Amino acid sequence: MKLTCPHCQEKFNSKDIKQMNKSSIYAEKQCPSCLAWFCQNKKLTLIKITGISLLLLTSVLNILNIYSEYQLVFSTVGFVGIFVALIITFFGKNEKVGQPNT
Ligand SMILES: [Zn+2]
């Protein structure tokens, strides 16, 4: 996956990133070119996490057969959730963040 640094506009491959702040839910990354930090837009990241959680939650409900009369509703909600999460993963913009306080 190609990423663009919001600081220096340099394009690089996500596997070129050497530093990543995993203590943040926003997955802050360091640009290999200018060494500045960035992450995906925080609002979008929250929506993405919600989408993935929805898929997990609705899948668990379906597997355990809880509220089986709503199975179709759960499947639809889960599908929409993961669909939105995927769109954000591929088209979400990166934004600048400060140095992580580690
Ligand atoms: Zn950069």
Side-chain angles (χ1 to χ4, degrees):
M1 198 163 85
K2 284 269 182 215
L3 294 168
T4 306
C5 172
H7 298 272
C8 63
Q9 310 304 322
E10 185 78 21
K11 283 189 173 54
F12 51 88
N13 215 300
S14 55
K15 66 172 192 289
D16 293 334
I17 294 168
K18 290 181 181 67
Q19 292 284 342
M20 204 170 149
N21 179 16
K22 292 204 177 79
S23 61
S24 161
I25 58 158
Y26 301 115
E28 295 168 358
K29 304 170 192 85
Q30 190 179 34
C31 170
S33 161
C34 69
L35 304 181
W37 289 80
F38 66 92
C39 70
Q40 202 159 59
N41 184 286
K42 294 194 173 175
K43 250 187 228 136
L44 289 179
T45 306
L46 286 178
I47 297 171
K48 183 169 121 183
I49 292 169
T50 311
I52 294 169
S53 313
L54 271 178
L55 178 76
L56 285 175
L57 184 74
T58 52
S59 303
V60 168
L61 289 172
N62 278 347
I63 289 165
L64 300 177
N65 228 349
I66 303 169
Y67 304 118
S68 52
E69 63 269 37
Y70 297 114
Q71 205 157 17
L72 188 66
V73 178
F74 290 151
S75 302
T76 311
V77 169
F79 178 78
V80 169
I82 200 67
F83 188 71
V84 169
L86 275 176
I87 298 237
I88 291 173
T89 302
F90 286 108
F91 300 105
K93 289 258 181 289
N94 288 315
E95 65 180 18
K96 301 171 187 180
V97 289
Q99 195 109 12
N101 5 300
T102 41

XYZ file of all heavy atoms in Angstrom:
808
model
N 0.842 -1.190 0.000
C 0.000 0.000 0.000
C 0.877 1.240 0.000
O 1.795 1.361 0.803
C -0.906 -0.005 1.234
C -2.074 0.931 1.111
S -3.360 0.570 2.326
C -2.776 1.483 3.736
N 0.619 2.168 -0.908
C 1.386 3.412 -0.994
C 0.815 4.454 -0.042
O -0.383 4.648 0.045
C 1.335 3.969 -2.430
C 2.221 3.211 -3.388
C 3.611 3.839 -3.443
C 4.486 3.088 -4.458
N 5.877 3.010 -4.044
N 1.712 5.125 0.648
C 1.304 6.182 1.560
C 1.953 7.488 1.122
O 3.019 7.484 0.527
C 1.763 5.859 2.986
C 1.129 4.634 3.659
C 1.887 4.292 4.904
C -0.320 4.903 3.977
N 1.284 8.589 1.422
C 1.868 9.893 1.144
C 2.068 10.618 2.466
O 1.149 10.720 3.266
C 0.935 10.725 0.232
O 0.648 9.962 -0.924
C 1.602 12.031 -0.165
N 3.260 11.094 2.691
C 3.552 11.814 3.927
C 2.884 13.192 3.878
O 3.068 13.929 2.916
C 5.064 11.969 4.075
S 5.516 13.048 5.438
N 2.092 13.546 4.897
C 1.425 14.851 4.883
C 2.402 16.011 5.132
O 2.060 17.155 4.924
C 0.394 14.747 6.013
C 0.897 13.666 6.904
C 1.744 12.746 6.073
N 3.611 15.704 5.548
C 4.603 16.754 5.810
C 5.380 17.091 4.543
O 5.412 18.228 4.095
C 5.597 16.303 6.895
C 4.959 16.033 8.221
N 4.774 16.999 9.168
C 4.453 14.891 8.741
C 4.179 16.457 10.239
N 3.970 15.179 10.000
N 6.029 16.073 3.960
C 6.929 16.341 2.824
C 6.335 15.866 1.498
O 6.960 16.010 0.457
C 8.284 15.680 3.061
S 8.220 13.879 3.177
N 5.109 15.310 1.523
C 4.410 14.832 0.321
C 5.157 13.711 -0.389
O 4.892 13.405 -1.539
C 4.137 15.979 -0.689
C 3.492 17.215 -0.106
C 2.173 16.902 0.625
O 1.400 16.066 0.183
N 1.956 17.545 1.753
N 6.116 13.122 0.272
C 6.875 12.019 -0.301
C 5.997 10.765 -0.315
O 5.296 10.484 0.645
C 8.122 11.808 0.580
C 9.098 10.787 0.075
C 9.981 11.300 -1.059
O 10.120 12.522 -1.206
O 10.512 10.454 -1.783
N 6.056 10.005 -1.429
C 5.294 8.758 -1.493
C 6.221 7.602 -1.148
O 7.350 7.540 -1.611
C 4.722 8.560 -2.896
C 3.516 9.417 -3.171
C 2.862 9.010 -4.486
C 1.547 9.748 -4.697
N 1.662 11.202 -4.610
N 5.730 6.683 -0.339
C 6.562 5.541 0.026
C 5.665 4.351 0.333
O 4.462 4.493 0.532
C 7.464 5.868 1.220
C 6.717 6.452 2.391
C 6.155 5.635 3.343
C 6.564 7.827 2.499
C 5.459 6.168 4.397
C 5.864 8.374 3.561
C 5.301 7.544 4.503
N 6.273 3.188 0.368
C 5.545 1.961 0.641
C 5.371 1.794 2.142
O 6.263 2.148 2.907
C 6.356 0.796 0.073
C 5.459 -0.272 -0.470
O 4.652 -0.850 0.263
N 5.563 -0.520 -1.764
N 4.221 1.253 2.549
C 3.969 1.145 3.988
C 5.005 0.253 4.677
O 5.253 0.387 5.862
C 2.561 0.633 4.239
O 2.349 -0.577 3.570
N 5.647 -0.648 3.922
C 6.640 -1.512 4.568
C 7.983 -0.795 4.786
O 8.851 -1.314 5.467
C 6.823 -2.824 3.788
C 7.422 -2.713 2.426
C 7.704 -4.133 1.890
C 8.567 -4.114 0.646
N 7.873 -3.600 -0.556
N 8.123 0.408 4.213
C 9.341 1.194 4.436
C 9.319 1.906 5.792
O 10.335 2.441 6.228
C 9.515 2.245 3.332
C 9.795 1.593 2.000
O 10.317 0.469 2.006
O 9.486 2.208 0.962
N 8.146 1.921 6.416
C 8.043 2.594 7.709
C 8.784 1.779 8.764
O 8.529 0.588 8.934
C 6.560 2.762 8.115
C 5.877 3.705 7.145
C 6.448 3.284 9.549
C 4.376 3.711 7.282
N 9.728 2.437 9.418
C 10.526 1.705 10.411
C 10.042 1.961 11.820
O 10.168 1.124 12.688
C 12.000 2.088 10.255
C 12.569 1.520 8.969
C 14.030 1.838 8.771
C 14.515 1.254 7.452
N 13.896 1.917 6.281
N 9.482 3.149 12.039
C 9.018 3.496 13.375
C 7.503 3.605 13.374
O 6.920 4.243 12.503
C 9.605 4.850 13.799
C 11.092 4.842 14.024
C 11.476 4.193 15.344
O 10.649 4.034 16.240
N 12.732 3.795 15.466
N 6.874 2.979 14.365
C 5.432 3.055 14.480
C 5.075 3.093 15.956
O 5.635 2.330 16.743
C 4.817 1.829 13.808
C 3.409 2.051 13.356
S 2.891 0.675 12.319
C 1.177 0.658 12.706
N 4.184 3.988 16.304
C 3.782 4.106 17.707
C 2.548 3.244 17.944
O 1.424 3.651 17.669
C 3.506 5.576 18.038
C 3.057 5.751 19.468
O 3.226 4.859 20.298
N 2.468 6.897 19.753
N 2.771 2.029 18.425
C 1.667 1.086 18.562
C 0.861 1.329 19.834
O -0.171 0.715 20.052
C 2.201 -0.346 18.557
C 2.763 -0.733 17.197
C 2.738 -2.244 16.993
C 3.226 -2.617 15.611
N 4.678 -2.593 15.500
N 1.351 2.236 20.698
C 0.608 2.494 21.933
C -0.601 3.381 21.660
O -1.472 3.535 22.491
C 1.516 3.143 22.971
O 1.973 4.369 22.474
N -0.652 3.967 20.464
C -1.789 4.810 20.111
C -2.762 4.010 19.262
O -2.344 3.241 18.391
C -1.279 6.022 19.324
O -2.338 6.602 18.609
N -4.082 4.182 19.484
C -5.049 3.446 18.663
C -5.057 3.992 17.244
O -5.606 3.381 16.334
C -6.490 3.506 19.235
C -6.969 4.947 19.363
C -6.615 2.743 20.528
C -8.486 5.061 19.385
N -4.452 5.171 17.046
C -4.436 5.769 15.713
C -3.263 5.276 14.878
O -3.089 5.703 13.756
C -4.395 7.286 15.825
C -5.575 7.836 16.597
C -5.399 8.468 17.809
C -6.865 7.683 16.100
C -6.479 8.956 18.520
C -7.948 8.164 16.805
C -7.760 8.794 18.020
O -8.828 9.264 18.718
N -2.432 4.385 15.416
C -1.291 3.833 14.691
C -0.454 4.928 14.054
O -0.399 5.063 12.834
C -1.746 2.814 13.644
N 0.195 5.721 14.873
C 1.036 6.798 14.358
C 2.301 6.219 13.735
O 2.921 5.333 14.287
C 1.385 7.763 15.508
C 0.162 8.467 16.040
C 0.408 9.201 17.347
O 1.531 9.143 17.868
O -0.542 9.820 17.840
N 2.640 6.741 12.551
C 3.793 6.230 11.819
C 4.795 7.345 11.566
O 4.430 8.508 11.492
C 3.344 5.632 10.479
C 2.296 4.563 10.615
C 1.741 4.195 9.248
C 0.494 3.334 9.368
N -0.719 4.150 9.532
N 6.045 6.949 11.398
C 7.077 7.943 11.106
C 7.448 7.862 9.641
O 7.707 6.778 9.109
C 8.309 7.690 11.979
C 9.313 8.825 11.888
C 10.516 8.581 12.766
O 10.944 7.451 12.944
N 11.075 9.635 13.321
N 7.483 9.025 8.994
C 7.854 9.093 7.580
C 9.318 8.691 7.428
O 10.182 9.239 8.111
C 7.634 10.517 7.071
S 8.320 10.804 5.445
N 9.641 7.716 6.543
C 11.036 7.308 6.386
C 11.886 8.384 5.709
O 13.112 8.331 5.757
C 10.953 6.051 5.509
C 9.627 6.112 4.848
C 8.721 6.948 5.708
N 11.232 9.348 5.094
C 11.972 10.367 4.362
C 12.298 11.588 5.227
O 13.443 12.015 5.326
C 11.165 10.752 3.121
O 11.577 11.970 2.616
N 11.294 12.174 5.904
C 11.554 13.394 6.681
C 11.484 13.142 8.191
O 11.679 14.054 8.979
C 10.581 14.509 6.278
S 8.871 14.193 6.775
N 11.191 11.896 8.585
C 11.162 11.483 9.991
C 10.085 12.179 10.826
O 10.097 12.109 12.049
C 12.544 11.675 10.659
C 13.707 10.959 9.975
C 14.994 11.199 10.740
C 13.441 9.466 9.834
N 9.141 12.850 10.171
C 8.025 13.449 10.894
C 6.952 12.377 11.107
O 6.924 11.372 10.399
C 7.458 14.615 10.106
N 6.085 12.604 12.066
C 5.064 11.603 12.388
C 3.723 11.969 11.789
O 3.371 13.135 11.657
C 4.939 11.472 13.904
C 6.118 10.795 14.515
C 7.318 11.371 14.788
C 6.227 9.418 14.878
N 8.165 10.421 15.320
C 7.528 9.226 15.394
C 5.338 8.331 14.832
C 7.963 7.978 15.854
C 5.772 7.105 15.292
C 7.077 6.931 15.791
N 2.956 10.944 11.435
C 1.616 11.167 10.898
C 0.753 9.964 11.212
O 1.246 8.908 11.609
C 1.665 11.400 9.382
C 2.117 10.195 8.607
C 1.195 9.283 8.124
C 3.464 9.963 8.385
C 1.607 8.160 7.432
C 3.890 8.838 7.694
C 2.960 7.942 7.210
N -0.554 10.119 11.066
C -1.462 8.987 11.215
C -2.678 9.258 10.350
O -2.830 10.349 9.804
C -1.867 8.788 12.676
S -2.953 10.063 13.298
N -3.542 8.264 10.254
C -4.755 8.459 9.479
C -5.671 9.406 10.254
O -5.620 9.464 11.470
C -5.431 7.107 9.271
C -6.358 7.120 8.074
C -6.613 5.708 7.563
O -7.110 4.852 8.285
N -6.265 5.455 6.327
N -6.460 10.150 9.524
C -7.412 11.086 10.114
C -8.126 10.456 11.304
O -8.666 9.363 11.206
C -8.409 11.487 9.023
C -9.375 12.529 9.506
O -10.277 12.236 10.281
N -9.182 13.746 9.061
N -8.105 11.144 12.442
C -8.578 10.518 13.682
C -10.075 10.216 13.672
O -10.501 9.187 14.175
C -8.218 11.399 14.875
C -6.712 11.451 15.031
C -6.225 12.004 16.321
C -4.703 11.801 16.348
N -4.048 12.372 17.476
N -10.862 11.110 13.086
C -12.309 10.859 13.001
C -12.564 9.609 12.176
O -13.341 8.736 12.556
C -12.994 12.070 12.350
C -13.843 12.866 13.341
C -14.621 13.949 12.619
C -14.472 15.269 13.344
N -14.219 16.395 12.474
N -11.877 9.517 11.025
C -12.050 8.358 10.150
C -11.604 7.083 10.861
O -12.223 6.032 10.713
C -11.247 8.544 8.859
C -11.764 9.596 7.888
C -10.860 9.697 6.677
C -13.175 9.248 7.444
N -10.520 7.182 11.621
C -10.025 6.010 12.341
C -11.067 5.509 13.330
O -11.292 4.302 13.447
C -8.713 6.356 13.080
O -7.805 6.898 12.137
C -8.105 5.122 13.721
N -11.730 6.442 14.023
C -12.763 6.043 14.973
C -13.929 5.364 14.261
O -14.452 4.350 14.731
C -13.265 7.263 15.752
C -12.292 7.799 16.814
C -12.885 9.024 17.481
C -11.984 6.732 17.848
N -14.313 5.915 13.097
C -15.406 5.304 12.324
C -14.986 3.899 11.877
O -15.758 2.945 11.941
C -15.775 6.173 11.105
C -16.289 7.530 11.580
C -16.823 5.483 10.233
C -16.478 8.537 10.460
N -13.722 3.782 11.466
C -13.203 2.496 11.012
C -13.254 1.461 12.141
O -13.709 0.333 11.943
C -11.753 2.695 10.541
C -11.113 1.471 9.976
C -9.808 1.843 9.316
C -8.653 1.121 9.942
N -7.367 1.538 9.345
N -12.801 1.861 13.331
C -12.821 0.944 14.472
C -14.266 0.543 14.794
O -14.553 -0.618 15.065
C -12.122 1.600 15.689
C -10.634 1.749 15.391
C -12.344 0.768 16.953
C -9.890 2.610 16.374
N -15.182 1.524 14.721
C -16.594 1.224 14.955
C -17.093 0.201 13.942
O -17.796 -0.757 14.299
C -17.432 2.513 14.848
O -16.826 3.519 15.640
C -18.858 2.285 15.325
N -16.730 0.387 12.695
C -17.162 -0.526 11.625
C -16.681 -1.940 11.869
O -17.449 -2.898 11.745
N -15.398 -2.076 12.235
C -14.837 -3.400 12.488
C -15.507 -4.022 13.723
O -15.842 -5.208 13.729
C -13.304 -3.306 12.664
C -12.669 -2.861 11.336
C -12.719 -4.643 13.102
C -11.216 -2.471 11.434
N -15.734 -3.191 14.755
C -16.399 -3.697 15.965
C -17.800 -4.191 15.641
O -18.247 -5.211 16.164
C -16.494 -2.601 17.028
O -15.264 -1.964 17.166
N -18.505 -3.440 14.781
C -19.856 -3.843 14.387
C -19.839 -5.215 13.731
O -20.676 -6.065 14.022
C -20.440 -2.824 13.391
C -21.192 -1.638 13.977
C -21.651 -0.727 12.848
C -22.390 -2.109 14.783
N -18.845 -5.425 12.847
C -18.758 -6.717 12.163
C -18.511 -7.831 13.184
O -19.158 -8.881 13.136
C -17.638 -6.709 11.122
C -17.479 -8.051 10.412
C -18.574 -8.255 9.388
C -16.133 -8.178 9.752
N -17.583 -7.583 14.103
C -17.272 -8.593 15.121
C -18.501 -8.899 15.967
O -18.860 -10.052 16.175
C -16.133 -8.093 16.018
C -14.755 -8.124 15.380
C -13.724 -7.497 16.304
C -14.359 -9.559 15.058
N -19.137 -7.830 16.429
C -20.289 -7.990 17.312
C -21.423 -8.745 16.613
O -21.974 -9.715 17.158
C -20.774 -6.600 17.748
C -21.908 -6.574 18.751
C -21.380 -6.955 20.133
C -22.529 -5.184 18.816
N -21.753 -8.315 15.397
C -22.865 -8.960 14.697
C -22.511 -10.401 14.330
O -23.370 -11.276 14.353
C -23.251 -8.165 13.434
O -22.080 -7.939 12.655
C -23.883 -6.845 13.790
N -21.224 -10.671 14.019
C -20.825 -12.044 13.706
C -20.989 -12.931 14.922
O -21.491 -14.055 14.826
C -19.358 -12.088 13.257
O -19.171 -11.252 12.165
N -20.560 -12.428 16.078
C -20.672 -13.217 17.306
C -22.142 -13.521 17.601
O -22.508 -14.655 17.915
C -20.002 -12.470 18.493
C -20.367 -13.120 19.812
C -18.494 -12.445 18.307
N -22.992 -12.499 17.456
C -24.424 -12.704 17.705
C -24.986 -13.777 16.773
O -25.770 -14.635 17.186
C -25.189 -11.393 17.523
C -24.976 -10.331 18.602
C -25.633 -9.020 18.208
C -25.520 -10.795 19.945
N -24.547 -13.732 15.502
C -25.042 -14.707 14.529
C -24.517 -16.106 14.837
O -25.251 -17.090 14.741
C -24.635 -14.301 13.113
C -25.588 -13.259 12.552
O -26.645 -13.023 13.109
N -25.207 -12.645 11.461
N -23.244 -16.198 15.198
C -22.646 -17.508 15.477
C -23.315 -18.138 16.700
O -23.635 -19.326 16.708
C -21.119 -17.363 15.695
C -20.438 -17.054 14.363
C -20.528 -18.648 16.291
C -19.021 -16.532 14.502
N -23.532 -17.324 17.725
C -24.157 -17.854 18.943
C -25.672 -17.998 18.794
O -26.351 -18.474 19.691
C -23.839 -16.949 20.136
C -22.351 -16.795 20.468
C -22.155 -15.832 21.618
C -21.736 -18.153 20.815
N -26.161 -17.530 17.653
C -27.580 -17.628 17.349
C -28.450 -16.866 18.362
O -29.548 -17.289 18.709
C -28.011 -19.089 17.290
C -28.819 -19.360 16.038
O -29.226 -18.426 15.337
N -29.071 -20.620 15.753
N -27.916 -15.742 18.835
C -28.693 -14.890 19.731
C -29.552 -13.974 18.852
O -29.078 -13.469 17.832
C -27.753 -14.049 20.625
C -26.825 -14.989 21.388
C -28.545 -13.159 21.586
C -25.686 -14.296 22.098
N -30.762 -13.741 19.229
C -31.696 -12.917 18.445
C -31.722 -13.400 16.998
O -31.553 -12.624 16.068
C -31.302 -11.438 18.474
C -31.189 -10.850 19.850
C -29.975 -10.343 20.301
C -32.298 -10.791 20.686
C -29.862 -9.801 21.578
C -32.196 -10.247 21.958
C -30.977 -9.752 22.406
O -30.875 -9.219 23.648
N -31.897 -14.698 16.778
C -31.775 -15.254 15.423
C -32.782 -14.634 14.453
O -32.577 -14.659 13.251
C -31.918 -16.769 15.453
O -33.089 -17.134 16.135
N -33.881 -14.062 14.998
C -34.845 -13.442 14.078
C -34.272 -12.171 13.434
O -34.772 -11.703 12.429
C -36.177 -13.148 14.791
C -36.108 -12.156 15.942
C -35.866 -12.841 17.297
O -35.110 -13.828 17.341
O -36.422 -12.371 18.307
N -33.175 -11.645 14.026
C -32.563 -10.448 13.441
C -31.295 -10.769 12.649
O -30.517 -9.889 12.333
C -32.211 -9.444 14.542
C -33.408 -8.926 15.301
C -33.589 -9.218 16.648
C -34.366 -8.132 14.656
C -34.695 -8.751 17.337
C -35.473 -7.666 15.348
C -35.635 -7.978 16.692
O -36.725 -7.514 17.375
N -31.080 -12.047 12.369
C -29.844 -12.484 11.725
C -29.522 -11.697 10.442
O -28.392 -11.279 10.234
C -29.957 -13.969 11.385
C -28.602 -14.638 11.284
C -28.708 -16.135 11.512
O -29.783 -16.707 11.430
N -27.599 -16.766 11.789
N -30.526 -11.478 9.634
C -30.306 -10.761 8.374
C -29.907 -9.312 8.644
O -29.014 -8.771 7.995
C -31.578 -10.831 7.510
C -31.406 -10.282 6.094
C -30.426 -11.155 5.300
C -32.742 -10.231 5.380
N -30.554 -8.708 9.634
C -30.223 -7.329 10.007
C -28.770 -7.264 10.470
O -28.001 -6.402 10.039
C -31.164 -6.835 11.138
C -30.793 -5.418 11.557
C -32.617 -6.911 10.697
N -28.359 -8.206 11.325
C -26.991 -8.224 11.833
C -25.997 -8.376 10.689
O -24.985 -7.679 10.639
C -26.792 -9.375 12.830
C -27.516 -9.165 14.136
C -27.950 -10.247 14.880
C -27.748 -7.891 14.615
C -28.605 -10.064 16.093
C -28.407 -7.691 15.821
C -28.842 -8.787 16.565
N -26.282 -9.305 9.778
C -25.372 -9.519 8.656
C -25.219 -8.252 7.835
O -24.125 -7.889 7.415
C -25.879 -10.645 7.752
O -26.008 -11.817 8.491
N -26.334 -7.562 7.618
C -26.297 -6.338 6.820
C -25.489 -5.261 7.534
O -24.628 -4.620 6.929
C -27.736 -5.830 6.562
O -28.513 -6.919 6.095
C -27.746 -4.716 5.549
N -25.755 -5.084 8.830
C -25.032 -4.073 9.601
C -23.535 -4.388 9.606
O -22.697 -3.514 9.386
C -25.582 -4.003 11.049
C -24.682 -3.152 11.931
C -27.000 -3.454 11.050
N -23.189 -5.663 9.818
C -21.787 -6.080 9.828
C -21.131 -5.828 8.491
O -19.991 -5.349 8.419
N -21.849 -6.102 7.425
C -21.304 -5.897 6.086
C -21.044 -4.419 5.820
O -19.978 -4.038 5.342
C -22.275 -6.462 5.030
C -21.791 -6.234 3.626
C -20.804 -7.044 3.087
C -22.314 -5.214 2.863
C -20.339 -6.824 1.810
C -21.863 -4.984 1.569
C -20.863 -5.797 1.044
N -22.009 -3.584 6.176
C -21.845 -2.143 5.983
C -20.647 -1.650 6.813
O -19.827 -0.866 6.339
C -23.139 -1.387 6.375
C -22.901 0.123 6.427
C -24.259 -1.715 5.390
N -20.540 -2.164 8.048
C -19.447 -1.764 8.927
C -18.084 -2.053 8.328
O -17.218 -1.182 8.272
N -17.886 -3.260 7.829
C -16.574 -3.632 7.298
C -16.338 -2.941 5.949
O -15.214 -2.607 5.606
C -16.412 -5.177 7.199
C -14.936 -5.553 7.139
C -17.168 -5.770 6.026
C -14.165 -5.275 8.412
N -17.417 -2.683 5.219
C -17.305 -1.990 3.937
C -16.782 -0.567 4.160
O -15.834 -0.124 3.508
C -18.688 -1.960 3.266
C -18.669 -1.434 1.866
C -18.108 -2.178 0.839
C -19.224 -0.192 1.578
C -18.088 -1.684 -0.452
C -19.209 0.305 0.292
C -18.633 -0.445 -0.736
N -17.380 0.123 5.125
C -16.943 1.481 5.467
C -15.489 1.456 5.950
O -14.664 2.284 5.559
C -17.882 2.082 6.543
C -17.303 3.371 7.117
C -19.262 2.340 5.958
N -15.154 0.452 6.781
C -13.789 0.340 7.310
C -12.777 0.156 6.174
O -11.711 0.763 6.174
C -13.704 -0.812 8.301
N -13.141 -0.647 5.190
C -12.244 -0.891 4.055
C -12.046 0.379 3.231
O -10.932 0.711 2.830
C -12.817 -1.997 3.156
C -12.492 -3.423 3.587
C -13.193 -4.414 2.666
C -10.997 -3.670 3.562
N -13.146 1.083 2.977
C -13.063 2.331 2.199
C -12.111 3.305 2.890
O -11.246 3.906 2.261
C -14.476 2.966 2.080
C -15.383 2.011 1.323
C -14.388 4.362 1.448
C -16.035 2.547 0.097
N -12.264 3.427 4.221
C -11.414 4.352 4.970
C -9.958 3.896 4.911
O -9.048 4.701 4.740
C -11.916 4.471 6.423
C -13.261 5.200 6.430
C -10.897 5.192 7.294
C -13.958 5.237 7.768
N -9.735 2.573 5.001
C -8.368 2.059 4.945
C -7.696 2.442 3.630
O -6.542 2.838 3.603
C -8.377 0.526 5.106
O -9.009 0.214 6.342
C -6.971 -0.038 5.108
N -8.436 2.355 2.531
C -7.811 2.597 1.237
C -7.834 4.051 0.789
O -6.955 4.494 0.073
C -8.457 1.713 0.162
C -8.042 0.282 0.295
C -8.923 -0.671 0.761
C -6.745 -0.103 -0.001
C -8.533 -1.997 0.913
C -6.337 -1.409 0.152
C -7.232 -2.359 0.603
N -8.850 4.813 1.237
C -8.964 6.174 0.720
C -8.809 7.248 1.781
O -8.814 8.430 1.474
C -10.312 6.357 0.003
C -10.472 5.423 -1.163
C -11.302 4.315 -1.077
C -9.779 5.634 -2.339
C -11.443 3.434 -2.136
C -9.905 4.760 -3.406
C -10.736 3.658 -3.301
N -8.671 6.848 3.054
C -8.531 7.823 4.125
C -7.248 8.628 3.982
O -6.226 8.113 3.560
N -7.330 9.903 4.313
C -6.157 10.773 4.206
C -5.338 10.706 5.502
O -5.872 10.544 6.583
C -6.610 12.217 3.975
C -7.187 12.452 2.589
C -6.160 13.138 1.699
C -6.705 13.420 0.304
N -6.880 12.215 -0.513
N -4.049 10.872 5.362
C -3.178 10.933 6.528
C -3.085 12.370 7.020
O -3.201 13.310 6.244
C -1.780 10.442 6.165
C -1.759 8.946 5.953
O -2.320 8.203 6.738
N -1.129 8.517 4.885
N -2.907 12.531 8.301
C -2.723 13.884 8.821
C -1.521 13.928 9.752
O -1.075 12.924 10.275
C -3.998 14.371 9.522
C -4.352 13.575 10.762
C -5.631 14.081 11.441
O -6.407 14.796 10.795
O -5.818 13.763 12.626
N -1.007 15.157 9.922
C 0.209 15.332 10.718
C -0.075 15.134 12.194
O -1.119 15.542 12.694
C 0.755 16.757 10.510
C 1.088 17.068 9.080
C 1.405 18.546 8.914
C 1.570 18.871 7.440
N 1.870 20.262 7.195
N 0.843 14.522 12.875
C 0.763 14.450 14.331
C 2.130 14.815 14.888
O 3.150 14.737 14.199
C 0.351 13.045 14.860
C -1.092 12.757 14.567
C 1.250 11.973 14.315
N 2.136 15.189 16.152
C 3.400 15.517 16.804
C 4.157 14.247 17.141
O 3.658 13.141 16.971
N 5.362 14.403 17.596
C 6.179 13.289 18.063
C 5.435 12.567 19.186
O 4.909 13.211 20.083
C 7.485 13.862 18.614
C 8.536 12.823 18.802
C 9.650 12.975 17.781
O 9.728 13.979 17.096
N 10.487 11.993 17.664
N 5.354 11.240 19.133
C 4.678 10.552 20.237
C 5.463 10.704 21.532
O 6.697 10.647 21.516
C 4.645 9.096 19.784
C 5.693 8.978 18.756
C 5.872 10.325 18.134
N 4.758 10.896 22.637
C 5.462 11.032 23.909
C 5.748 9.667 24.508
O 4.946 9.115 25.240
C 4.698 11.906 24.918
C 3.350 12.325 24.405
O 3.273 12.978 23.372
N 2.295 11.932 25.106
N 6.864 9.119 24.132
C 7.232 7.801 24.655
C 8.346 7.958 25.684
O 9.128 8.880 25.598
C 7.703 6.859 23.526
O 8.521 7.590 22.634
C 6.523 6.288 22.800
Zn 7.739 13.041 5.235
